[in-house]
Amino acid sequence: MPRILITGGAGFLGSHLCDLFLREGFDVVCMDNFLTSSGENISHIRSDAFHFLKHDVTEYIHLAGPLDYILHFASPASPADYLRYPIQTLKVGSLGTHKALGLAREKNARFLLASTSEVYGDPLVHPQPETYAGNVETTCLRGVYDEAKRFGEAITMAYHRHHGLDTRIVRIFNTYGTRMRLDDGRALPNFIRQALLGEPMTVYGDGKQTRSFCYVTDLIKGIYDLLMSDEVLPVNIGNPEEITVLEAAEIVRKMTGSKSEILFEELPQNDPKVRQPDVRKATEVLGWKPGIGLEAGLKLCLPYFEQAVGTSEPAAVAAAS
Ligand code: UDP
């Protein structure tokens, strides 16, 4: 039975990856320090092949026994979270990636880094191919996440070139689906929660900035395909269907049948004006393509959000908004 370690395994994407690799017959070690998650996303797992380790990946990792793969997914990923935890975000992207790479080297495991479209910053090339070097301001507020991930890519490639480590890098674009926290702070969970509660839907700026939203199962499949491929250089995984943030809010309002008003709020600093993945490389190299459009994806995850809203304390939900 192959054995895989997933750092950040209790998070939104990490927990979906735990499920996928358990289904594929792997022994799964899930590591998390619960900085931006809880045990909730993994509480359904009842498998002898699943092992949970509460650990901060920036500290030395001791793991007995063999290991075939490491997926390094630990990091705050929502702008609201990484602005709340700037130092931890920089540490997990730098020190945490270093520790996870060291473990991969010790075990001779294949290593996959969860990178991000944020390495392109506020892009001047549109859509963004993997060859675009990006437009990131090191000292801006978002720089803590962008630079941590850029460093993560650099050290991953250094381990590959200098130590011959078998590595992969996925650049993840905006993703949504079940298991996102209601108070995650990202656009779609915010809009869905607000629409379901009949609260004003907070659109930042004029809402004309664009994003391209990928449903979680499409993304997870792309990550699996990349891990099993021979591609060492970064690969974008995301859905290229681009819409404005205001359109996204209106789609959520329509699909929830909500009467919420749209409330325009101040645009956060350095908020990228456009974002759309060029996924030609993923299609050519992995044969991967997203299959689930925004409305279909929302239909799949709305029951999860409805339940999450229904079971939350109203005061807690309000405080999170
Ligand atoms: N956004 C918004 N209202 C919200 C949350 C986010 O208008 O309640 C905007 C945000 O300013 C950005 C886009 O939606 O332009 C996507 O934001 P998100 O936090 O999901 O992630 P990002 O793509 O910026 O990393």
Side-chain angles (χ1 to χ4, degrees):
M1 180 187 277
R3 190 159 180 244
I4 190 166
L5 168 68
I6 304 174
T7 77
F12 164 46
L13 298 180
S15 64
H16 281 283
L17 287 164
C18 288
D19 284 342
L20 172 77
F21 284 95
L22 287 170
R23 278 200 305 276
E24 293 292 322
F26 284 60
D27 201 79
V28 174
V29 182
C30 167
M31 182 187 290
D32 211 299
N33 69 348
F34 293 145
L35 178 68
T36 55
S37 64
S38 63
E40 191 147 333
N41 286 341
I42 48 171
S43 62
H44 63 284
I45 300 176
R46 307 260 175 280
S47 166
D48 293 340
F50 182 75
H51 313 275
F52 179 73
L53 212 58
K54 186 159 190 290
H55 184 73
D56 179 342
V57 67
T58 66
E59 305 286 343
Y60 183 84
I61 307 166
H62 178 73
L63 194 65
L67 200 57
D68 303 288
Y69 301 93
I70 298 179
L71 303 183
H72 183 40
F73 274 68
S75 177
S78 153
D81 285 342
Y82 56 71
L83 297 181
R84 195 174 302 136
Y85 299 113
I87 311 290
Q88 289 95 329
T89 301
L90 281 157
K91 282 178 72 180
V92 74
S94 54
L95 305 178
T97 306
H98 180 226
K99 291 284 183 294
L101 282 163
L103 182 68
R105 193 167 168 231
E106 161 76 21
K107 304 283 186 186
N108 200 20
R110 183 176 293 179
F111 177 90
L112 183 143
L113 174 72
S115 186
T116 168
S117 55
E118 283 283 331
V119 299
Y120 303 122
D122 190 4
L124 304 176
V125 170
H126 190 66
Q128 295 78 56
E130 289 85 350
T131 47
Y132 177 49
N135 176 37
V136 176
E137 202 179 313
T138 54
T139 53
C140 76
L141 292 173
R142 291 176 90 105
V144 298
Y145 184 65
D146 304 8
E147 293 301 339
K149 290 292 186 182
R150 289 170 68 95
F151 174 87
E153 290 198 8
I155 193 171
T156 298
M157 288 310 297
Y159 266 70
H160 172 71
R161 294 188 178 118
H162 192 71
H163 291 311
L165 192 73
D166 192 14
T167 58
R168 307 287 180 269
I169 298 173
V170 58
R171 290 187 180 151
I172 299 170
F173 283 66
N174 294 69
T175 303
Y176 66 101
T178 57
R179 305 197 190 150
M180 290 184 103
R181 294 186 346 252
L182 275 183
D183 66 348
D184 166 293
R186 281 180 277 200
L188 287 182
N190 269 7
F191 294 158
I192 297 169
R193 186 194 73 241
Q194 291 160 344
L196 291 174
L197 292 173
E199 292 175 356
M201 297 170 77
T202 53
V203 169
Y204 302 157
D206 58 10
K208 290 196 181 122
Q209 67 274 34
T210 68
R211 293 295 186 273
S212 311
F213 297 99
C214 186
Y215 192 65
V216 63
T217 50
D218 275 341
L219 184 96
I220 294 296
K221 170 78 169 60
I223 291 168
Y224 183 86
D225 292 348
L226 174 60
L227 182 69
M228 298 308 166
S229 78
D230 294 327
E231 183 58 40
V232 169
L233 289 171
V235 179
N236 289 338
I237 299 285
N239 190 319
E241 278 176 29
E242 182 187 19
I243 57 169
T244 68
V245 166
L246 180 58
E247 282 166 342
E250 281 164 350
I251 290 172
V252 168
R253 187 165 60 174
K254 184 188 80 182
M255 293 198 56
T256 51
S258 172
K259 299 211 172 4
S260 288
E261 56 170 326
I262 304 274
L263 183 68
F264 291 93
E265 290 193 343
E266 199 184 335
L267 189 69
Q269 189 199 59
N270 291 81
D271 199 281
K273 286 179 268 312
V274 290
R275 184 180 292 152
Q276 182 189 31
D278 180 334
V279 291
R280 279 177 297 178
K281 182 173 179 184
T283 304
E284 279 159 26
V285 175
L286 313 177
W288 177 87
K289 257 193 192 145
I292 302 175
L294 183 56
E295 296 210 6
L298 286 172
K299 222 175 252 170
L300 289 171
C301 65
L302 272 177
Y304 157 78
F305 283 103
E306 280 161 0
Q307 203 202 356
V309 167
T311 54
S312 298
E313 290 295 316
V317 172
S321 58

